Amino acid sequence: GLILVAYLWARQMAARVRGQRRLVYSALQVGDELEEIVTLRNDSFLPLLYAEVRDRSSFPEYTLSSVRAAGAGSSLEWRARAICSRRGVFTLGPWDILTGDPFGIFSVTHTYDQRAEVLVYPPLAALPPGLLPRGQIQGDERTLHQPTAAESLNAVTTRPFQPGDPLRRLHWPTSARREMPFVKVFQPQASATFWLVPDLDASAQAGEGADSTLETTITLLASLTAELLKQRMAVGLLTVEGAAQALLPQRGQEYFWQILRVLAGLQAAPGCPFARTLAKARGLLSPQDVLLAVTPSLSTDWIAPL
């Protein structure tokens, strides 16, 4: 009779117990809080005396593993949280729920093969003043020793008229509204393209964790991208992790997340010296482009290719 009761109890746990997990946000940044809502439902007329949750996620320092219980015909909901301490692409799941009869004779395992991809973007930092070359601001300024940028047909703003401005640049609606002459400021086509080229050679890196030179490089690249795109510059990214990968220069804040996704997965790789990376960049750059090389290497081998 005991074995029969245990068997029927286990059958109810197998047929009437369900689990569900839902990720609140799938795209996060270092320092954000990962949050999941986990639901355990018992539709049986018998109580769920124990349910052991086993999580096989790859997210660092995070797990759902715990032991829960639920009454007959009831559900239990709780939230699992963790602070994102590392950038990268991680997987939540698969996971299991282990239960059975109260006598421990039969065991039941519910396996959920669902996987959710979590993208943790690198953090941003305030850039030191004077880090970027002058001339990146829209208007009449330009980088020294570079030819004047050709103007596009896109007027990005207006400014008060100054002596020497051509009359064809007058913006009549603004001039009428302000009751003083205003001229159009056009978006330059040239000398507004920046290429970011990081050194991902493993032999050049130092330190571990968040204080390593690699993580500092990634944070700097993300911050440079945010600042340049904010100033309506076209930003491209060239990385070499065994094979070269290039994101062609584009403008717009929507492009910012595309670059951050690539930066989130970058890792140092052996056998890719920075001199070879710069050599690959030679065929992509035009004389009007600006190259921002980011390296922790104290070697002088990459000076000549640069």
Side-chain angles (χ1 to χ4, degrees):
L2 182 65
I3 293 177
L4 178 61
V5 170
Y7 174 74
L8 295 177
W9 199 306
R11 285 291 299 267
Q12 283 292 307
M13 298 300 100
R16 301 290 183 177
V17 173
R18 295 289 182 269
Q20 183 183 20
R21 61 193 295 180
R22 179 169 59 88
L23 184 63
V24 178
Y25 301 107
S26 59
L28 302 161
Q29 200 167 18
V30 172
D32 290 346
E33 185 180 61
L34 171 74
E35 183 177 7
E36 273 192 297
I37 300 176
V38 187
T39 304
L40 180 63
R41 187 171 187 86
N42 178 23
D43 293 328
S44 170
F45 63 90
L46 297 173
L48 178 63
L49 299 180
Y50 73 93
E52 181 184 356
V53 180
R54 293 182 180 178
D55 190 15
R56 289 175 278 160
S57 301
S58 65
F59 200 91
E61 302 176 3
Y62 174 77
T63 181
L64 287 182
S65 298
S66 60
V67 178
R68 306 281 173 166
S74 65
S75 63
L76 180 66
E77 183 177 282
W78 72 94
R79 294 174 181 263
R81 297 180 175 90
I83 299 298
C84 301
S85 59
R86 287 167 46 191
R87 63 175 176 85
V89 180
F90 306 102
T91 302
L92 297 180
W95 59 301
D96 307 307
I97 297 178
L98 281 71
T99 184
D101 66 274
F103 311 109
I105 300 176
F106 297 99
S107 63
V108 175
T109 302
H110 296 271
T111 299
Y112 299 93
D113 198 34
Q114 67 182 90
R115 291 174 172 86
E117 184 180 273
V118 179
L119 177 62
V120 180
Y121 293 112
L124 300 180
L127 296 175
L131 180 64
L132 288 173
R134 292 184 59 82
Q136 74 273 19
I137 300 176
Q138 297 295 335
D140 299 331
E141 295 184 12
R142 62 187 176 91
T143 308
L144 296 178
H145 310 300
Q146 286 194 359
T148 304
E151 291 180 346
S152 68
L153 299 178
N154 299 323
V156 294
T157 185
T158 59
R159 60 167 174 80
F161 177 84
Q162 297 178 359
D165 289 336
L167 296 179
R168 57 185 172 83
R169 288 192 179 182
L170 282 173
H171 191 257
W172 296 106
T174 305
S175 301
R177 187 171 63 254
R178 299 287 185 89
E179 297 183 352
M180 60 180 297
F182 272 72
V183 295
K184 294 177 283 188
V185 179
F186 294 91
Q187 182 176 9
Q189 285 182 334
S191 70
T193 298
F194 286 78
W195 279 93
L196 305 179
V197 183
D199 183 2
L200 299 178
D201 188 14
S203 62
Q205 309 301 325
E208 296 181 356
D211 296 328
S212 66
T213 56
L214 176 62
E215 295 306 317
T216 304
T217 297
I218 300 301
T219 301
L220 177 57
L221 292 173
S223 305
L224 287 170
T225 301
E227 183 65 25
L228 292 171
L229 291 178
K230 181 180 178 181
Q231 297 176 7
R232 300 188 181 93
M233 297 294 121
V235 181
L237 177 66
L238 174 65
T239 62
V240 177
E241 296 176 282
Q245 179 183 3
L247 291 178
L248 297 181
Q250 297 185 42
R251 294 182 175 88
Q253 288 299 316
E254 64 278 0
Y255 181 59
F256 173 64
W257 300 107
Q258 184 177 347
I259 292 184
L260 280 196
R261 183 178 181 88
V262 175
L263 294 178
L266 286 184
Q267 298 295 333
C272 54
F274 197 40
R276 187 185 306 169
T277 302
L278 293 173
K280 294 182 180 293
R282 185 180 302 126
L284 294 175
L285 273 68
S286 71
Q288 301 287 344
D289 296 342
V290 178
L291 183 144
L292 298 181
V294 182
T295 175
S297 175
L298 298 179
S299 170
T300 59
D301 296 341
W302 52 270
I303 300 295
L306 181 64

